[in-house]
Amino acid sequence: MKLTRKDFLKLAASTSAVSVAGCATVGATSANRTLIRGADILSMSDPDAEYMNTDVLIESGIIKEIGKGLPADGATVISARGMILMPGMIDGHRHVWQTLLNGALPKISRRYAEYDRTTNMIYALAYEPEDMFIAQLMGGLACLDSGVTSVIDQMHAANGDAMEQAAARGLIASGVAGVFCYQMRNGPYYTVGDTYTREKALADRNQPPDERHWATAEKIRDLYFGGKDKVLHFGIGLSGSVGTQTVEQAALEFQRARSLSARTLTQHMNQRPGVEPPILRGVGDLHEAGLLGPDYLISHGVDVTDEELVFLREAGSGVCSTVMGEFPYAKPSIHGRAHEAGVNVSIGIDVSIALTHDYFEHVRSAYWNLFRSDRGANLAKTLDTFDVLDFATRSGARAIGFGDELGTVEKGKRADLVLLKTDRLGFSKLGSLADRVVTSATQADVDTVLVAGKTLKSGGKLLKFSQTSLAADAAASRTNVLERASRINLL
């Protein structure tokens, strides 16, 4: 059976796991009791925590036991001999809705210069709710397909209540874990068929969020993110108006966001040292105002100073530097300096429209990016493969505020896990498990993915939806979005 775009929207009305006739369903393993047999475990709890030919018992989504020869006792068994078992990876900053248009503005192209003007000011306005649902669904599945089990989705295509609810439903339906961060971004005040100036569009966007956004945020929280067993949580993407709003305005926004019990407050952080108080300049001003905290995660942050990294560390705040996303700009990513300062730092894809979704490429880039400066090159000498993979696992989980639950393969942690095949000719056979993964793993090696003990990918194939049907619906949405985008005249 082919699922139409309207069918997907109907399915999305339920936030539980979706099973449809004609589609493969999650059920290859029991969510209550699963035994992974004979894996080579890359725990990521510390550099020496690698265990060969070892079993992992999962009960009710939690790692119950780790050891050799564990009894199955009725558990569903996953045979993993010769595979590497590692924690599910963390993406600390991604605009998932852009997945539908991946390739439209590749970073390896002069066309990427049009990113901000085209993507956020035209494409985002050309979606309809069914397009947004499909984009978020396929974006969440793309995360899982690459071994990313938790994502911080900064959903900044905030252009209508129905659109924003569809975005939440689509990501939930994918089964990926993490935080759906509703973006507090004002406007837009134009749509398909309108003519508008880019300068006015930018000015509109930099205004503080209006009451509609706060009301929608509360509605999304209440409709889709209640209950203790959810793996996807509610968060807020702060407006990010550094350099345009006052510290007092920022404080009010932080206060209102926290009053909504948002699990994560995330914010694009591109500092504005040239402006004068009381205009918000960056992390230093947030520190002085007492706004930093363990729920706060900055994205990018390449120009955060060493002193400000201390403020972030002391507050328990996290950093996500997007590695490939930062590379074309003037400064290297912050991974080396954050690691040196003891700040939990993660990796993110950021612009799903422009970059590869093979997450291992982003992991490797976190290391190569260090060599863009002399200081970074010296810091690179202090890191090894464990440290680099740590950005995507243990440190990444801590950065997004889930360090007690995720990021390592340990007893008591949630079973968000990835099994990698290692029989490909180009897959490294020598070195530690971390050496082998960081050196040569690719998305094609991701055999099995579990989130809270539920198998969402097995045998190299996603289980939850028919990929053929989803691809057809995505193609239809893509055509419609591009056609509508052509009728937005931004001068």
Side-chain angles (χ1 to χ4, degrees):
M1 180 180 81
K2 183 179 184 297
L3 296 177
T4 67
R5 295 190 301 159
K6 292 188 183 298
D7 291 330
F8 274 117
L9 282 171
K10 290 176 183 177
L11 291 173
S14 169
T15 58
S16 60
V18 179
S19 175
V20 184
C23 296
T25 59
V26 177
T29 64
S30 166
N32 292 324
R33 190 175 174 84
T34 300
L35 181 67
I36 300 175
R37 177 76 78 191
D40 296 334
I41 300 175
L42 174 53
S43 170
M44 294 305 300
S45 57
D46 66 67
D48 297 321
E50 297 189 353
Y51 312 106
M52 310 305 287
N53 192 21
T54 301
D55 306 336
V56 174
L57 178 64
I58 301 164
E59 287 189 2
S60 300
I62 303 298
I63 298 174
K64 183 73 172 178
E65 296 289 347
I66 300 174
K68 293 181 180 292
L70 297 179
D73 290 338
T76 301
V77 176
I78 299 176
S79 179
R81 184 67 59 87
M83 294 185 184
I84 295 175
L85 179 67
M86 61 176 284
M89 292 185 287
I90 310 295
D91 185 313
H93 180 68
R94 187 183 298 207
H95 303 298
V96 175
W97 69 271
Q98 297 177 0
T99 305
L100 181 69
L101 300 178
N102 182 248
L105 291 171
K107 280 219 168 187
I108 307 175
S109 168
R110 63 181 179 274
R111 299 198 305 279
Y112 189 73
E114 291 293 298
Y115 169 77
D116 192 57
R117 178 179 183 273
T118 303
T119 304
N120 294 313
M121 298 185 186
I122 295 179
Y123 287 153
L125 305 186
Y127 279 65
E128 291 185 351
E130 59 264 35
D131 307 313
M132 184 59 72
F133 176 84
I134 290 170
Q136 291 283 104
L137 171 62
M138 67 183 294
L141 293 174
C143 290
L144 296 168
D145 198 34
S146 69
V148 171
T149 52
S150 288
V151 63
I152 301 294
D153 174 24
Q154 189 153 354
M155 210 301 285
H156 63 356
N159 53 356
D161 185 29
M163 193 81 64
E164 293 149 7
Q165 288 194 51
R169 293 196 302 266
L171 197 63
I172 291 168
S174 75
V176 75
V179 187
F180 174 84
C181 290
Y182 174 71
Q183 174 74 54
M184 288 297 163
R185 170 171 285 175
N186 209 342
Y189 300 105
Y190 59 96
T191 188
V192 176
D194 289 347
T195 298
Y196 213 71
T197 68
R198 182 173 183 270
E199 289 71 24
K200 185 69 169 71
L202 280 170
D204 292 343
R205 193 175 68 175
N206 286 334
Q207 295 301 310
D210 58 26
E211 289 304 315
R212 182 195 78 79
H213 289 86
W214 291 111
T216 299
E218 187 171 0
K219 183 186 296 185
I220 287 173
R221 180 202 65 185
D222 293 344
L223 284 174
Y224 305 113
F225 295 99
K228 295 182 179 180
D229 296 331
K230 304 278 187 189
V231 295
L232 189 68
H233 301 266
F234 170 76
I236 291 289
L238 296 166
S239 66
S241 297
V242 178
T244 62
Q245 66 179 187
T246 66
V247 175
E248 183 180 8
Q249 288 172 324
L252 288 173
E253 192 173 323
F254 270 78
Q255 180 182 2
R256 289 194 72 171
R258 285 174 170 146
S259 74
L260 292 175
S261 301
R263 175 71 186 257
T264 301
L265 307 183
T266 190
Q267 185 172 41
H268 291 91
M269 179 54 64
N270 298 301
Q271 310 228 105
R272 299 291 187 270
V275 300
E276 296 294 329
I279 299 299
L280 177 65
R281 295 169 295 181
V283 170
D285 288 341
L286 296 176
H287 166 72
E288 290 293 329
L291 298 175
L292 301 178
D295 59 350
Y296 182 62
L297 172 70
I298 68 170
S299 302
H300 307 302
V302 294
D303 46 8
V304 168
T305 67
D306 290 350
E307 180 184 25
E308 289 170 327
L309 283 172
V310 173
F311 298 155
L312 292 169
R313 183 189 68 213
E314 291 176 346
S317 301
V319 175
C320 178
S321 193
T322 61
V323 198
M324 285 188 180
E326 323 295 356
F327 203 87
Y329 307 124
K331 296 181 180 180
S333 76
I334 201 172
H335 285 94
R337 292 195 297 121
H339 182 268
E340 183 182 49
V343 175
N344 291 315
V345 58
S346 62
I347 297 169
I349 282 183
D350 188 9
V351 285
S352 296
I353 196 171
L355 292 167
T356 177
H357 285 237
D358 186 334
Y359 206 64
F360 293 102
E361 289 301 307
H362 295 268
V363 173
R364 285 184 277 272
S365 293
Y367 181 73
W368 301 126
N369 200 305
L370 294 172
F371 290 90
R372 298 190 64 203
S373 71
D374 290 341
R375 181 179 179 186
N378 286 328
L379 288 171
K381 296 175 183 177
T382 70
L383 303 179
D384 59 21
T385 54
F386 174 88
D387 300 311
V388 175
L389 192 57
D390 194 54
F391 298 144
T393 53
R394 184 182 61 168
S395 177
R398 292 172 176 172
I400 69 170
F402 288 76
D404 292 339
E405 303 170 49
L406 308 173
T408 60
V409 183
E410 291 183 279
K411 185 176 177 179
K413 289 289 185 80
R414 198 172 79 200
D416 288 16
L417 305 171
V418 172
L419 275 169
L420 300 175
K421 295 180 297 183
T422 63
D423 55 357
R424 177 170 53 84
L425 288 177
F427 201 105
S428 305
K429 303 299 187 289
L430 301 178
S432 68
L433 297 180
D435 290 343
R436 296 171 65 193
V437 170
V438 174
T439 300
S440 60
T442 71
Q443 180 168 327
D445 301 316
V446 178
D447 180 87
T448 301
V449 176
L450 299 92
V451 173
K454 296 181 180 179
T455 304
L456 301 183
K457 182 177 182 179
S458 179
K461 295 185 181 300
L462 292 165
L463 301 180
K464 204 170 185 185
F465 290 97
S466 163
Q467 294 184 63
T468 301
S469 293
L470 180 55
D473 286 305
S477 278
R478 193 176 300 115
T479 297
N480 292 337
V481 168
L482 293 174
E483 189 280 325
R484 288 192 292 269
S486 71
R487 293 187 282 120
I488 297 175
N489 303 304
L490 196 62
L491 304 178

